[in-house]
Amino acid sequence: MTLPSRSARQWWRDAVTYQIYIRSFADSNGDGKGDVEGIRTRLPYLKSLGIDAIWITPWYPSPQNDHGYDVADYMDIEPDYGNLDDAKRLIKEAHDLGIRIIVDIVPNHSSDQHPWFKEALAAGPGSAARDRYIFRDGKGENGELPPNNWNAVFGGPAWHRITEKDGKPGQWFLHLFATEQPDFNWENKEVRGYFEEVLKFWLDLGVDGFRIDVAHGMIKAEGLPDTPEKDSPEMLAAVAMPFWDQDGVHEIYRSWRKILDSYPGDRMAVAEAWVSPASRIARYLRHDELANSFNFDFLTSPWDAKVLRERIDGSLAAIKEVGAPASWVFNNHDVVRSVDRFALGLTPGTGETTLDRQGDPAKLDLNLGIKRARAGALLMLALPGGAYIYQGEELALPEVRDIPENRLTDPRWRMSNFTDRGRDGCRVPLPWKSDQAGAFGFSAHSSVSPTDAWLPQSNWWGSFSVEAQEKNADSTLHLYRKALAIRASEEGLGDGPMTWMEMGENVLAFGRPGNFLCIVNFGEEILLPMGEVLLSSGPLNNERLPKDTAVWIRSR
Ligand code: NOJ
């Protein structure tokens, strides 16, 4: 396929999208939680960073049992975060700056406080209201056993038994995540129709796209058969699971694509589909389905040239089949930050214990992690396609490991019986200023202290702040700004061809159109090819590229 020029092709083929975890981005009203107005006031920062779009994590009314991924009303804004007028203003001002907006849609489950779920509880077995969710009678003599052996992603059984109106134990409902997140029944026409209305509601308000939560989970295998193994399912399961990646999900995306295409401008959707191998991901990206799908093969790679190259090749080959662009991602609000992962050799989605997931802090060499994360940034931003950056990645924020147990909020913590500390460590509110006032500038109200923030910030947090990094020409923030500016001006970057160059097994080196070379060194120092150095992730040793360093070169 020959691509049209960069300015003529659909924006998502090349876009760098910045993920905003709204609760932790910027607090405008002093309640220690981020909000819509906080995002609006930081639009100039985002513009100066050079990103093309922002993805805002769920901002809907929610009891916040899973920080917004438990939605009580899909067509409004969480009062703690603002209101619909704030959202409209944000969309307009972002658009005026040339920044697109992607909102998060959560179709696999709602909150148990959604009016439909309350209605289902009240209506009783066999009712139309219960059919919108997945209610079943239990097994055993008195229905005392769950309908099957499924476990929730956050730990424990995926079924919860309710008490019926007569006060007796009754049916069970399915929740693949927290108990407060009942799964919708996507075989139910009303559910399908409802989500089409939700999409239109936000498209009418001008959003450019949707990030689809658990995009591989909405359809469950007929008859809800037992899983092959009775263990806690990861989002990326090692074996086929009756609730992940069922063929039926594609029919939903085909109908959604029609809605997206019926709107003016290029509207898109990106799938959070933890699916493997790459050929299965490509199915979500067929021409009449979704625009992007996060590349979790890339995100779950260790810092290893061979593994990364295999996964890059595998992904590019699979999406080529369907003519879709790649969507590279190293971080999001669900995984240990890449600074720590790359230093400790962690691969997200594997391991049972907190130690497996989060690694041994005593072994953490933070400088090594930062060095590798910076090199990784130049790798990711030079690869063909688009990229997703998670807030704070541009500051090389490490994982926060010293949140006191009594301040942990992730449902994983309680659902794992307090054995898995969960994901709070990558969600700590951003440090904007070096000084502690206003929770390191996270809050516009200076009286808010670092421990008043909804997740407490550590006292070392300020050294990573935007303010500190603005002042330091070698900071990671400046590295991202320079990289994004180069990326924007290079016609050959973004989607398009790449060619590997062989420079040894510990080096990833590839060319892009325009004599552009990206070289990432995972091993001992190497001699650089002739050319003009456009950018490097760390100091070079004259003509040599040190270990764990990446460089962009205009070759001669
Ligand atoms: C994936 C989201 O990214 C995660 O934060 C959430 O807990 C689950 N889906 C459930 O909605």
Side-chain angles (χ1 to χ4, degrees), residues 65-77:
N65 276 300
D66 189 17
H67 301 314
Y69 286 97
D70 47 326
V71 180
D73 180 351
Y74 288 82
M75 297 191 233
D76 205 347
I77 297 285

Side-chain angles (χ1 to χ4, degrees), residues 161-220:
R161 193 171 195 190
I162 62 162
T163 304
E164 301 289 358
K165 271 193 297 198
D166 59 7
K168 297 205 176 111
Q171 287 198 298
W172 299 71
F173 70 85
L174 179 72
H175 59 90
L176 287 181
F177 294 88
T179 320
E180 298 84 359
Q181 291 169 299
D183 280 51
F184 279 116
N185 170 19
W186 273 86
E187 308 297 343
N188 179 297
K189 284 208 174 64
E190 237 185 311
V191 169
R192 291 188 185 229
Y194 176 57
F195 273 94
E196 295 189 358
E197 292 314 307
V198 171
L199 293 181
K200 289 179 194 159
F201 178 85
W202 292 102
L203 288 167
D204 287 339
L205 287 187
V207 304
D208 301 279
F210 299 93
R211 176 264 189 191
I212 306 170
D213 190 60
V214 201
H216 60 318
M218 282 122 86
I219 298 290
K220 280 72 181 176

Side-chain angles (χ1 to χ4, degrees), residues 66 69 106 109 154 177 181 211 213-214 235 272 333-334 423 427:
D66 189 17
Y69 286 97
V106 190
H109 44 263
F154 295 156
F177 294 88
Q181 291 169 299
R211 176 264 189 191
D213 190 60
V214 201
M235 290 280 273
E272 189 220 12
H333 63 292
D334 291 329
R423 303 160 293 178
R427 299 174 172 179

Side-chain angles (χ1 to χ4, degrees), residues 140-156:
E141 219 168 298
N142 300 307
E144 70 280 12
L145 300 173
N148 67 23
N149 72 348
W150 297 3
N151 277 336
V153 174
F154 295 156

Side-chain angles (χ1 to χ4, degrees), residues 47 55-57 64 81 101 143 158 178 199 212 226 256 274-275 335 369 383 389 392 405 410 426 441 446 464 469 551:
K47 184 70 190 166
W55 146 32
I56 304 170
T57 54
Q64 306 291 333
Y81 298 160
I101 302 234
L199 293 181
I212 306 170
D226 278 354
W256 285 16
W274 290 83
V275 169
V335 296
L383 285 170
I389 299 173
E405 289 189 351
D410 185 353
C426 67
S446 57
F464 285 88
Q469 300 206 24
V551 68

Side-chain angles (χ1 to χ4, degrees), residues 210-534:
F210 299 93
R211 176 264 189 191
I212 306 170
D213 190 60
V214 201
H216 60 318
M218 282 122 86
I219 298 290
K220 280 72 181 176
E222 207 181 328
L224 311 183
D226 278 354
T227 60
E229 297 166 14
K230 187 170 165 45
D231 61 356
S232 185
E234 286 295 338
M235 290 280 273
L236 186 65
V239 291
M241 288 289 193
F243 37 79
W244 296 147
D245 199 25
Q246 301 294 308
D247 285 347
V249 292
H250 298 286
E251 191 190 322
I252 301 171
Y253 299 135
R254 280 191 285 272
S255 71
W256 285 16
R257 179 63 180 257
K258 285 193 191 120
I259 294 174
L260 293 166
D261 286 350
S262 73
Y263 276 78
D266 281 337
R267 315 284 180 117
M268 56 83 82
V270 47
E272 189 220 12
W274 290 83
V275 169
S276 196
S279 55
R280 295 294 298 187
I281 297 176
R283 292 160 54 90
Y284 291 76
L285 300 172
R286 288 176 286 198
H287 73 280
D288 54 351
E289 295 193 40
L290 307 175
N292 282 181
S293 182
F294 298 114
N295 191 326
F296 291 127
D297 270 350
F298 189 66
L299 182 146
T300 53
S301 303
W303 185 249
D304 179 296
K306 186 163 173 274
V307 178
L308 278 163
R309 180 164 171 172
E310 275 167 14
R311 297 197 182 177
I312 291 167
D313 278 342
S315 306
L316 291 177
I319 56 176
K320 195 172 168 202
E321 295 284 310
V322 291
S327 310
W328 309 104
V329 59
F330 271 140
N331 287 282
N332 65 32
H333 63 292
D334 291 329
V335 296
V336 170
R337 285 197 180 261
S338 59
V339 166
D340 288 49
R341 292 196 333 257
F342 291 160
L344 289 167
L346 304 175
T347 51
T350 56
E352 291 292 310
T353 65
T354 289
L355 198 64
D356 295 336
R357 285 178 195 282
Q358 307 196 338
D360 182 353
K363 298 197 179 126
L364 180 64
D365 176 347
L366 207 54
N367 288 331
L368 176 68
I370 292 173
K371 204 173 172 198
R372 290 180 171 170
R374 291 170 59 109
L378 294 200
L379 166 67
M380 177 169 89
L381 295 173
L383 285 170
Y388 287 82
I389 299 173
Y390 174 47
Q391 67 181 39
E393 189 171 341
E394 80 281 20
L395 306 174
L397 287 185
E399 187 77 2
V400 178
R401 293 161 178 278
D402 50 6
I403 303 172
E405 289 189 351
N406 65 359
R407 297 291 304 268
L408 292 175
T409 67
D410 185 353
R412 252 186 200 279
W413 174 235
R414 56 187 159 84
M415 291 191 64
S416 68
N417 264 327
F418 310 102
T419 56
D420 182 341
R421 285 175 61 90
R423 303 160 293 178
D424 288 332
C426 67
R427 299 174 172 179
V428 173
L430 284 192
W432 291 92
K433 298 222 169 106
S434 311
D435 186 78
Q436 298 210 352
F440 295 107
F442 163 63
S443 177
H445 292 237
S446 57
S447 58
V448 175
S449 76
T451 52
D452 292 335
W454 76 277
L455 280 175
Q457 300 158 311
S458 311
N459 50 20
W460 47 271
W461 207 222
S463 61
F464 285 88
S465 68
V466 172
E467 183 183 47
Q469 300 206 24
E470 289 280 8
K471 290 182 191 145
N472 174 1
D474 296 327
S475 68
T476 306
L477 175 57
H478 283 298
L479 177 74
Y480 269 85
R481 283 207 183 122
K482 287 179 204 152
L484 290 172
I486 294 173
R487 188 183 152 102
S489 64
E490 284 285 319
E491 176 70 21
L493 291 187
D495 205 7
M498 70 172 268
T499 319
W500 288 112
M501 291 164 41
E502 301 309 330
M503 292 184 68
E505 60 178 12
N506 288 323
V507 180
L508 288 184
F510 54 93
R512 306 292 320 267
N515 295 331
F516 183 99
L517 293 183
C518 173
I519 307 173
V520 192
N521 186 10
F522 295 75
E524 293 316 309
E525 206 167 77
I526 54 164
L527 192 63
L528 283 171
M530 297 288 280
E532 175 202 355
V533 172
L534 303 174

